[in-house]
Amino acid sequence: NPAKDKITISTKAKAESYKFFNIIGQQQLTIDASTISSNQITVNVSNLPKGIYFVKVATKDNNIFIHKLIKE
């Protein structure tokens, strides 16, 4: 962190979805992870405007993790 083009997200449990929200809570990007077999994903964030984002990761075992992302 900060990121310019791509970020890699790793989880211990299998993720179900990744959602990116801007600082005012508007959802900017959603990734359905149900077809991804790995616990790691690389996301292209180059199309997101510069700013602060929150990445909400929902796992198959019903846990939710939120991480801050700074996009340059």
Side-chain angles (χ1 to χ4, degrees):
N1 227 347
K4 289 185 181 182
D5 297 320
K6 294 181 181 180
I7 62 167
T8 300
I9 303 170
S10 298
T11 59
K12 291 182 182 179
K14 177 80 172 91
E16 207 166 66
S17 67
Y18 302 88
K19 296 181 181 181
F20 291 71
F21 297 89
N22 64 15
I23 194 75
I24 59 173
Q26 297 169 321
Q27 190 169 320
Q28 301 295 304
L29 177 65
T30 300
I31 298 170
D32 177 10
S34 62
T35 59
I36 300 170
S37 61
S38 171
N39 286 4
Q40 181 172 310
I41 185 172
T42 299
V43 180
N44 181 350
V45 294
S46 63
N47 58 340
L48 293 175
K50 293 179 182 181
I52 297 173
Y53 294 87
F54 295 96
V55 183
K56 180 180 177 181
V57 181
T59 65
K60 289 196 180 268
D61 55 357
N62 296 322
N63 288 317
I64 294 177
F65 302 94
I66 299 175
H67 302 280
K68 185 168 88 171
L69 167 67
I70 299 171
K71 168 66 169 58
E72 288 188 335

